[in-house]
Amino acid sequence: MGVSTSPKHTLPSRIELENQIGSRTTQTAVIQESLRLSTAIPGNLPRLIPPQGATVNGIFYPAVLTSVSLANRIMHNNAVVFPSPQTFDPDRWLGSQQRESEKWQFSFSKGPHRCIGMNLAYLGMYLCLATFFARFDMELFETDEATMDWVDHGITCLKSTVKVMAIIH
């Protein structure tokens, strides 16, 4: 889950979430933004060029053992597509920004290579998030902005551990 110490973008309270049962808008925005910030696929997603070749950004690539790839983290950190990419901002998945954000959401890949378990994964995220917020109050514990810095060692990972204290109701 994405974490923010910014007062503008705090997670909704348990009562706010309970009031939104039947409307998954806020929950969906939180899940999409969390997926954008936490890369499930740590490296590149290589694709072979089709037999007829392919043109990408005006450059023709022949099919002779040519592959192209893109790391999700690079796309999800693109400031042109996602302004202030290091900021946890679920609002980018709401209103007029929603369609453009969804166009560039690569957490489960795209097209014929899309994860076949995507819908099951979303179901699990919705159920876990709703259950967690219904049963616990949360607060950051020994965690600050520096905790969320990324390190790239061929795969992306956090520099340190994010800690959250859950308090049972």
Side-chain angles (χ1 to χ4, degrees), residues 130-147:
T131 301
F132 194 82
F133 277 100
R135 295 188 180 174
F136 301 100
D137 290 324
M138 294 186 305
E139 60 186 56
L140 292 176
F141 178 73
E142 298 176 1
T143 299
D144 59 17
E145 290 291 329
T147 306

Side-chain angles (χ1 to χ4, degrees), residues 3-166:
V3 176
S4 175
T5 57
S6 165
K8 179 182 178 224
H9 299 291
T10 56
L11 296 175
S13 71
R14 179 176 53 87
I15 293 169
E16 288 172 319
L17 284 173
E18 286 174 0
N19 289 337
Q20 293 176 6
I21 291 177
S23 170
R24 296 181 315 175
T25 306
T26 301
Q27 190 178 15
T28 298
V30 168
I31 287 172
Q32 292 291 67
E33 186 67 354
S34 298
L35 286 170
R36 186 187 70 79
L37 286 171
S38 58
T39 305
I41 302 170
N44 294 334
L45 298 170
R47 302 290 184 255
L48 290 177
I49 298 293
Q52 68 274 16
T55 302
V56 178
N57 278 348
I59 300 171
F60 178 76
Y61 293 93
V64 184
L65 298 177
T66 304
S67 69
V68 294
S69 64
L70 172 70
N72 288 1
R73 193 79 196 137
I74 292 170
M75 179 54 66
H76 292 160
N77 265 356
N78 185 334
V80 173
V81 177
F82 297 105
S84 301
Q86 298 301 322
T87 302
F88 180 79
D89 183 8
D91 292 340
R92 70 178 91 237
W93 302 96
L94 303 171
S96 62
Q97 297 174 299
Q98 179 181 359
R99 182 167 290 226
E100 189 65 15
S101 294
E102 288 174 354
K103 176 181 172 183
W104 297 105
Q105 171 59 283
F106 281 79
S107 294
F108 292 98
S109 192
K110 292 281 189 183
H113 298 283
R114 175 173 266 169
C115 174
I116 62 172
M118 179 181 75
N119 291 329
L120 186 59
Y122 273 118
L123 174 65
M125 286 183 274
Y126 281 113
L127 289 173
C128 288
L129 189 63
T131 301
F132 194 82
F133 277 100
R135 295 188 180 174
F136 301 100
D137 290 324
M138 294 186 305
E139 60 186 56
L140 292 176
F141 178 73
E142 298 176 1
T143 299
D144 59 17
E145 290 291 329
T147 306
M148 297 307 296
D149 288 341
W150 287 88
V151 180
D152 189 353
H153 297 289
I155 63 169
T156 54
C157 57
L158 291 172
K159 282 185 177 178
S160 61
T161 305
V162 174
K163 297 178 182 180
V164 177
M165 183 183 301

